Amino acid sequence: MTSALFFESLRTQWESGLPFVAYRKPNETQVNALFQKSDTLIYTQDFTESGFVFSPYNQEEETILIPLEGSDRCSMSEPEVTESDFYINGLDNNQNPASKERHMDLVAKGVNEIEQSNLQKVVLSRSEAIELTDPDPLRIFKKLLHRYSRAFVYLWYHPKIGLWLGATPETLIRVENKRLSVMALAGTQVYQGTVDVEWKTKERQEQQYVTDFIVSNLKTSAENIRVSEVETTRSGNLLHLKSTISGTLKSTARDMRQLLRTLHPTPAVCGVPKNEAMAFIKANEDYDREFYTGFLGELNFEKKRHPRSSVRNIEHRAYKTQTHYTQLYVNLRCMQLKENQAILYVGGGITSLSDPASEWDETVSKSNVIKSVL
């Protein structure tokens, strides 16, 4: 499908008030879309369904599904970009002293709680509103696609929920047949032309908390668990520390729903210990995260594979094998569009070594990922 027809189809679906999602995976050029044929709000029952899931941060709330059955699918290569697509359409009206002071007070409270209890890390976040003179989600989506090739970029809409966009750097989990991998991503600094940088103890400690949590919680479901070396990875104007935990699902492993409840939310978006961190966030953040720090992506999709070409199996090339895979991402670097506003969500990991002013600066740097397309 051509770029023009693809975006025309998105606009028709949106203006018709029908659910859809359009997305591109990291380091790929193909953009995919699912168009639900009705405006019914559909939830997963047990994560055995096939479709695109959109799940909130709160584990007690239901996960929304745009099902493969009952939806049309289409795709295109990278969209064409014109000069008008880069029209500056946002006005930042929330960088004020009160907002800064409120977040710094929250961080200080988190550090104090860590020093006074068994809480080791807690992720604290905030939201801010940007006034839009051109609140066209398709234009914003196109700019996200153009700017963030390494991220999972998406545009999601349901008339009964709202409209969300994002460019997240973090994979939650990928499962294909019995093989699985999980990303441990934490620690942040501004990219200044090189990934060869020094990391402070605070950031390395923060990333290790995430890795240890994932490894510990995978042991009941997976075997042959391996942890890659920690590396520096770039996401837009930011750098993070990343490692990949991989393994094989045990034959006795429970279902995907249980696996996700075990892993999510990870210390990268919540904290350690998990229950204490969730309780602190609920009691002290002054807003509802909704789908920020939830997860989204392809659930039980099907992939067709051709046999490898060789003289021996040349007569079998027409045969294909089918595998099923799930690939989910943490909903970071995201925004919600409401009328003429973009509501941005940003946060950071707090440990005993956190400095409130530095943590504020980190959220500002993260918000620039989205602001750069507004």
Side-chain angles (χ1 to χ4, degrees):
M1 180 179 288
T2 66
S3 173
L5 184 56
F6 183 89
F7 278 90
E8 181 182 333
S9 299
L10 289 182
R11 189 171 298 281
T12 298
Q13 186 82 354
W14 176 43
E15 292 177 348
S16 299
L18 292 173
F20 71 89
V21 63
Y23 60 96
R24 188 199 60 205
K25 297 178 185 178
N27 301 309
E28 294 189 4
T29 59
Q30 180 170 292
V31 185
N32 304 297
L34 275 178
F35 300 109
Q36 190 172 312
K37 296 178 182 178
S38 74
D39 66 356
T40 304
L41 189 56
I42 301 171
Y43 298 103
T44 56
Q45 299 301 312
D46 53 13
F47 283 82
T48 60
E49 303 93 344
S50 297
F52 192 98
V53 290
F54 197 53
S55 187
Y57 160 75
N58 188 341
Q59 289 182 308
E60 303 309 313
E61 296 179 6
E62 294 183 286
T63 295
I64 300 170
L65 175 74
I66 296 181
L68 288 182
E69 185 178 352
S71 299
D72 293 323
R73 301 171 67 176
C74 67
S75 63
M76 68 162 186
S77 58
E78 283 289 347
E80 298 175 359
V81 179
T82 65
E83 185 175 343
S84 64
D85 290 323
F86 288 89
Y87 171 68
I88 303 300
N89 60 5
L91 176 63
D92 183 353
N93 65 349
N94 200 40
Q95 289 299 320
N96 57 67
S99 178
K100 180 177 181 179
E101 182 179 358
R102 190 161 53 247
H103 189 72
M104 289 177 62
D105 286 346
L106 178 62
V107 171
K109 191 172 184 179
V111 172
N112 183 68
E113 182 70 15
I114 290 169
E115 292 174 344
Q116 300 297 323
S117 70
N118 69 334
L119 188 64
Q120 296 173 287
K121 173 189 174 181
V122 61
V123 177
L124 299 175
S125 66
R126 62 184 178 88
S127 64
E128 65 178 83
I130 305 295
E131 294 292 336
L132 301 177
T133 56
D134 177 20
D136 184 349
L138 304 187
R139 188 192 300 273
I140 297 171
F141 178 54
K142 188 179 290 189
K143 287 191 282 188
L144 285 171
L145 289 170
H146 180 76
R147 192 176 295 268
Y148 298 112
S149 62
R150 295 183 177 93
F152 179 81
V153 178
Y154 77 91
L155 166 61
W156 184 95
Y157 170 72
H158 197 293
K160 299 175 182 177
I161 300 295
L163 194 150
W164 288 71
L165 301 99
T168 177
E170 184 171 353
T171 301
L172 174 61
I173 188 170
R174 177 179 173 86
V175 178
E176 185 171 340
N177 293 338
K178 290 291 184 178
R179 298 185 302 277
L180 67 83
S181 64
V182 181
M183 181 186 293
L185 188 78
T188 301
Q189 60 177 284
V190 176
Y191 174 69
Q192 295 180 326
T194 179
V195 296
D196 186 16
V197 297
E198 294 293 328
W199 289 93
K200 296 179 181 179
T201 301
K202 184 262 181 182
E203 284 76 24
R204 291 193 175 278
Q205 181 186 72
E206 187 183 344
Q207 202 274 338
Q208 191 62 51
Y209 282 143
V210 180
T211 302
D212 292 345
F213 171 89
I214 293 170
V215 171
S216 175
N217 283 275
L218 279 180
K219 286 181 178 178
T220 58
S221 301
E223 55 193 359
N224 302 319
I225 296 174
R226 299 176 298 278
V227 181
S228 71
E229 293 292 328
V230 179
E231 62 177 317
T232 300
T233 184
R234 180 185 172 192
S235 173
N237 64 319
L238 302 176
L239 299 177
H240 304 287
L241 286 169
K242 182 187 78 171
S243 57
T244 302
I245 299 92
S246 58
T248 306
L249 283 174
K250 295 179 181 178
S251 57
T252 56
R254 301 180 70 178
D255 57 31
M256 177 64 71
R257 183 188 186 94
Q258 184 60 38
L259 180 58
L260 289 171
R261 289 186 68 88
T262 300
L263 287 176
H264 183 267
T266 73
V269 297
C270 180
V272 179
K274 181 176 178 178
N275 290 337
E276 285 87 337
M278 291 180 72
F280 185 86
I281 290 168
K282 183 177 181 180
N284 293 280
E285 281 189 350
D286 59 356
Y287 78 104
D288 183 357
R289 290 188 179 188
E290 298 186 46
F291 293 92
Y292 167 61
T293 64
F295 60 83
L296 70 165
E298 298 171 328
L299 176 68
N300 298 319
F301 271 51
E302 198 173 79
K303 179 189 293 184
K304 295 179 180 179
R305 293 184 180 275
H306 291 274
R308 287 184 295 176
S309 177
S310 69
V311 174
R312 178 175 295 180
N313 69 14
I314 192 168
E315 68 273 18
H316 300 299
R317 287 185 192 175
Y319 294 96
K320 301 175 183 178
T321 59
Q322 293 183 338
T323 62
H324 290 84
Y325 69 92
T326 292
Q327 189 156 359
L328 305 175
Y329 300 83
V330 183
N331 194 19
L332 304 175
R333 314 295 190 271
C334 62
M335 65 176 135
Q336 183 181 19
L337 295 192
K338 289 185 176 182
E339 297 180 348
N340 293 324
Q341 283 191 332
I343 313 299
L344 278 57
Y345 301 88
V346 287
I350 310 305
T351 72
S352 61
L353 300 176
S354 291
D355 170 67
S358 297
E359 295 299 335
W360 165 260
D361 291 340
E362 180 177 318
T363 66
V364 172
S365 296
K366 288 176 176 176
S367 70
N368 287 336
V369 172
I370 296 298
K371 288 179 182 178
S372 67
V373 299
L374 297 178

